[in-house]
Amino acid sequence: MSYQVLARKWRPRSFKELVGQTHVLQALVNALDQDRLHHAYLFTGTRGVGKTTIARILAKCLNCETGVSSTPCGQCAACCEIDEGRFVDLIEVDAASRTKVEDTRELLDNVQYAPTRGRYKVYLIDEVHMLSVHSFNALLKTLEEPPPHVKFLLATTDPQKLPVTILSRCLQFGLKNMTPERIVGHLENILGQESIPFEGPALWQLARAADGSMRDSLSLTDQAIAFGNGRVSEQEVSAMLGTIDQGQVMKMVRALSSGGAPEVLSAVASLAEHAPDYAAVLDDMLSMLHRIAIAQAVPDAVDNSQGDREQVLELAGNMLAEDVQLYYQVGLVGKRDLPLAPDPRGGFEMSLLRMLAFRPEPVAIQVPQSSNRESVIQSEASQPVLPPVDPEPEPASVEPVTQYVEPEVSITTPPAIDVAATEVQPAPVFEEQQVTQAVVDQPVIESVENPLPEDFAPEPSQPMEVEVPPLPVEAYQEAEEEDDVPPPVSTYEAYASELASQVAVEPEPVPALIEDEPPQTVKPEERVSLADLDVQSWVPVFRSLPLGGVTRTIASHCEYVSHSAGRIDLRLDSGRSTLYNDTHRQRVEKALSDYFDQPLRVQVEIGQVQAETPAAWRERKIAERMAEARSSIFNDQHVQSLINQFSAVVIEDSIQPIGNVIK
């Protein structure tokens, strides 16, 4: 006997042998058992999902000699002839080869005659969407009111091309694509009964290559058996399909999670030995990152379509959510730019290195301890910038200043100047708070390489009028409250920096998220001891911890429970525990151990918080400051005058507290 391919040998012969399509089987089984049969059925779906198979099983159920039921005997003459494809009352028509209206009329001429052998005359029209418009019109009347002994079973892969008049006359069943898990389970059953050795990863590759079609998976399995000389192995299936091993993709994602460029380049070098399609590799990596992001958001929603669900969950716990999103976005851009690269491997490597280069690192920002906000801004933004010096500078006279030009304030650190090799002449000193006239000389830098003549003396420049604006009244009031009077402006550089800080720097908005607040610097003598740690002191302790990103957000929603014997118990709000994993607990544990200067263990339980968390404390403080700001606006005499005299209206959304430091 000649060899029969797996797709035909293992074609289901009853509803019990069918894999998947439960929603279709349930309707058909109930209709057969309750004798509620329709005269026309339409089965839609992609190739190889069971449309023709279900139609043949339905024809067998209708014509079984034991009676109409959902479980045909499979032994009678009708069942055997249907399985063998020679039952005279099952008319199978390929609509793709019989599209003319003459073919349809010839087919319908025999509808009125009773069946020869069976109970029903069944017309199985495959790829029915290929019929012409005239053929559909000729079929309409018969399809709507056929004789009692006729059943129409239509199958198509493109139901959109069917006229609405045809769809309205049929019961339509949409067959779903097969999932990789279902295909792998079916292949394991078949290969086990065929006594063919196989490897699990090889079956997963075949299932993914089948793209939802059970028939395609069986055809690929036939090809893999022939390619592997009677066995199905992972390496040979990869060579046959031209795909890369998913272990290589997993290896590269692990290297990205560790943040090591040598590991990433080593993984690429190992991958390059197989001459892969780097665009396809990027697709696989993006698919992996997508599944990791789903695992971080909803762990139970991760599928096992590639047989690596546990590994995906492990990577989701070891990677930060913001890193996964960054890698995914960089990968999308890298895939777009890959054809522009000099060679595919170089473009692929640059995409991976770009992921590492833009990976955010948690940085603890030290906030300067200052009495008021203006002095903090002045210390950060008022760095004097020395003018460039020519080899032979000429004395320049300063023209009278008629309009103040806003200086450019640079927040970058100026380059270091070798004090031993340079000598800067100080600028002339102004009279304190009473400067009305000054002579400004060009600062001279004496260089070792280009020394100036000893007899060089700059000519005096023309005097200029300088009007010194008084400091804001608010600055003096705030300084008096803090018992700290601002120092007088004594040099030209300090005067310019003071103007720059008043003109160029705008107040920052009040931060709305807890992670926007940098860790607070606390002196050693002001730190809370472990013995004094309680619900109230947990907030200042948290604000001093050098945490960032998602870890800081999660820790801010934890409340203090208790501590004993080198262990601190915290409770995380259940509504904020979606992204929590053990990595965050370890970071909090290390930060608390460094704060209290002793090894500690941190236990985090998830539940309903009862005490005030740092996040709730911060929200309360922001609300209090906002209430104070609104009260000060509405109680202001000038505002009340504008409202009473000019019918002014205060836009409450525009009210913001001054400053962004919550104490």
Side-chain angles (χ1 to χ4, degrees):
M1 183 177 179
S2 61
Y3 175 74
Q4 192 175 18
V5 298
L6 295 178
R8 295 185 60 186
K9 181 179 180 180
W10 292 94
R11 182 191 292 265
R13 289 175 170 81
S14 65
F15 288 139
K16 293 182 179 179
E17 297 178 5
L18 275 172
V19 178
Q21 315 304 347
T22 307
H23 63 294
V24 177
L25 300 184
Q26 181 177 353
L28 294 178
V29 169
N30 292 337
L32 289 168
D33 292 341
Q34 300 174 12
D35 196 18
R36 300 178 63 89
L37 297 174
H38 201 268
H39 58 268
Y41 294 88
L42 174 63
F43 302 103
T44 65
T46 187
R47 77 272 179 266
V49 294
K51 300 185 297 296
T52 307
T53 299
I54 292 178
R56 289 179 179 175
I57 297 176
L58 181 58
K60 189 188 300 184
C61 295
L62 294 173
N63 288 289
C64 181
E65 295 180 358
T66 60
V68 178
S69 67
S70 60
T71 56
C73 66
Q75 304 295 329
C76 63
C79 292
C80 294
E81 290 177 4
I82 291 176
D83 290 336
E84 296 172 1
R86 54 185 180 87
F87 189 63
V88 67
D89 290 325
L90 175 60
I91 300 98
E92 295 193 24
V93 180
D94 182 15
S97 60
R98 302 185 65 179
T99 60
K100 297 181 180 180
V101 65
E102 292 81 2
D103 299 328
T104 305
R105 288 173 179 172
E106 181 183 355
L107 182 68
L108 297 178
D109 286 342
N110 298 321
V111 170
Q112 57 184 337
Y113 300 111
T116 303
R117 295 261 325 266
R119 188 176 295 105
Y120 292 96
K121 183 180 288 188
V122 180
Y123 287 88
L124 174 54
I125 306 177
D126 204 359
E127 299 301 334
V128 68
H129 67 276
M130 298 295 290
L131 294 177
S132 64
V133 177
H134 296 291
S135 298
F136 280 126
N137 292 334
L139 187 62
L140 283 179
K141 190 59 178 178
T142 306
L143 189 63
E144 182 179 6
E145 297 179 359
H149 58 269
V150 173
K151 300 293 182 184
F152 284 98
L153 306 180
L154 312 180
T156 178
T157 57
D158 195 355
Q160 313 249 345
K161 294 183 179 180
L162 294 180
V164 179
T165 52
I166 295 293
L167 296 175
S168 65
R169 288 166 167 81
C170 303
L171 291 185
Q172 184 175 349
F173 296 95
L175 278 67
K176 301 178 182 178
N177 288 359
M178 298 292 176
T179 61
E181 292 91 345
R182 196 178 298 276
I183 293 177
V184 169
H186 191 53
L187 292 180
E188 289 177 350
N189 179 38
I190 291 176
L191 293 178
Q193 296 189 42
E194 292 285 339
S195 300
I196 297 176
F198 62 89
E199 295 179 2
L203 299 186
W204 282 103
Q205 293 188 38
L206 294 173
R208 289 193 298 270
D211 194 20
S213 172
M214 186 66 76
R215 183 177 60 228
D216 287 3
S217 67
L218 293 173
S219 300
L220 290 173
T221 304
D222 262 326
Q223 183 179 351
I225 294 173
F227 189 86
N229 193 19
R231 63 189 306 270
V232 181
S233 63
E234 179 182 7
Q235 183 176 0
E236 292 170 342
V237 170
S238 298
M240 181 190 75
L241 298 176
T243 58
I244 64 171
D245 184 8
Q246 289 298 312
Q248 296 283 352
V249 178
M250 185 71 68
K251 182 178 179 181
M252 280 185 288
V253 176
R254 289 185 185 276
L256 286 175
S257 66
S258 63
E263 292 82 356
V264 172
L265 295 180
S266 175
V268 175
S270 176
L271 179 66
E273 298 177 357
H274 304 282
D277 181 4
Y278 289 99
V281 177
L282 266 179
D283 286 338
D284 291 341
M285 290 189 62
L286 292 176
S287 177
M288 179 70 67
L289 292 172
H290 167 250
R291 298 175 65 208
I292 291 174
I294 291 179
Q296 291 178 336
V298 186
D300 295 337
V302 181
D303 59 12
N304 196 29
S305 60
Q306 299 183 12
D308 54 359
R309 184 176 187 274
E310 297 300 329
Q311 298 177 4
V312 170
L313 292 175
E314 179 184 356
L315 284 173
N318 295 334
M319 298 177 67
L320 296 177
E322 53 265 34
D323 289 350
V324 176
Q325 297 295 330
L326 173 66
Y327 295 161
Y328 189 87
Q329 184 63 32
V330 173
L332 286 179
V333 177
K335 182 183 176 183
R336 182 195 64 189
D337 297 341
L338 196 60
L340 305 178
D343 64 280
R345 177 178 176 179
F348 180 71
E349 289 179 340
M350 284 301 296
S351 297
L352 299 183
L353 294 177
R354 193 180 300 122
M355 294 178 185
L356 297 179
F358 289 94
R359 178 184 183 184
E361 294 290 343
V363 178
I365 303 176
Q366 299 295 333
V367 179
Q369 298 296 321
S370 178
S371 59
N372 54 59
R373 183 173 182 273
E374 286 75 9
S375 60
V376 172
I377 297 176
Q378 177 180 352
S379 64
E380 294 180 348
S382 62
Q383 295 292 340
V385 180
L386 296 178
V389 179
D390 297 329
E392 297 181 4
E394 295 292 336
S397 61
V398 179
E399 296 295 333
V401 178
T402 59
Q403 182 178 3
Y404 172 72
V405 179
E406 178 180 348
E408 295 183 1
V409 180
S410 175
I411 62 174
T412 59
T413 305
I417 301 177
D418 190 356
V419 181
T422 59
E423 181 178 357
V424 182
Q425 296 184 3
V429 180
F430 290 93
E431 292 295 335
E432 179 177 346
Q433 301 297 334
Q434 295 181 356
V435 179
T436 59
Q437 192 175 18
V439 178
V440 181
D441 294 336
Q442 176 74 19
V444 179
I445 300 178
E446 182 177 356
S447 175
V448 177
E449 297 180 357
N450 298 308
L452 299 176
E454 296 180 358
D455 57 349
F456 172 78
E459 296 180 359
S461 60
Q462 296 296 329
M464 67 176 180
E465 293 294 332
V466 179
E467 182 178 359
V468 181
L471 291 177
V473 179
E474 291 81 5
Y476 285 101
Q477 294 176 352
E478 186 174 357
E480 292 175 359
E481 293 176 359
E482 296 291 338
D483 297 331
D484 186 7
V485 179
V489 179
S490 59
T491 63
Y492 177 78
E493 291 83 1
Y495 176 74
S497 64
E498 179 68 21
L499 292 179
S501 65
Q502 295 179 12
V503 175
V505 179
E506 295 293 336
E508 299 179 1
V510 178
L513 299 178
I514 189 68
E515 56 265 28
D516 293 340
E517 181 187 12
Q520 304 295 316
T521 302
V522 180
K523 297 180 181 180
E525 60 272 12
E526 297 178 355
R527 291 189 175 182
V528 178
S529 63
L530 183 59
D532 298 333
L533 182 62
D534 54 12
V535 175
Q536 287 74 23
S537 61
W538 163 240
V539 173
V541 169
F542 163 78
R543 299 183 70 200
S544 304
L545 299 180
L547 300 174
V550 179
T551 304
R552 186 170 184 84
T553 304
I554 291 176
S556 69
H557 292 284
C558 292
E559 68 170 347
Y560 169 82
V561 178
S562 63
H563 73 275
S564 62
R567 168 178 167 177
I568 298 179
D569 293 332
L570 304 177
R571 182 181 294 112
L572 175 61
D573 187 2
S574 57
R576 307 283 183 168
S577 62
T578 303
L579 299 179
Y580 170 74
N581 54 49
D582 192 64
T583 303
H584 301 136
R585 184 197 62 79
Q586 294 176 4
R587 293 174 182 171
V588 175
E589 185 177 82
K590 181 179 182 304
L592 288 174
S593 299
D594 295 341
Y595 180 91
F596 292 108
D597 197 17
Q598 59 177 299
L600 295 173
R601 291 182 297 107
V602 174
Q603 182 69 28
V604 179
E605 64 172 303
I606 299 176
Q608 187 70 28
V609 297
Q610 301 176 357
E612 188 179 45
T613 63
W617 177 88
R618 180 171 175 78
E619 292 177 358
R620 178 172 59 83
K621 287 294 184 180
I622 292 176
E624 291 176 356
R625 296 195 59 200
M626 181 62 69
E628 294 176 359
R630 290 181 177 178
S631 176
S632 63
I633 289 294
F634 286 105
N635 295 331
D636 187 85
Q637 296 180 357
H638 301 288
V639 174
Q640 293 297 326
S641 299
L642 291 174
I643 294 176
N644 297 331
Q645 298 180 14
F646 301 100
S647 300
V649 177
V650 178
I651 302 176
E652 297 190 20
D653 294 341
S654 65
I655 301 176
Q656 293 291 338
I658 300 177
N660 65 339
V661 179
I662 296 179
K663 299 181 180 180

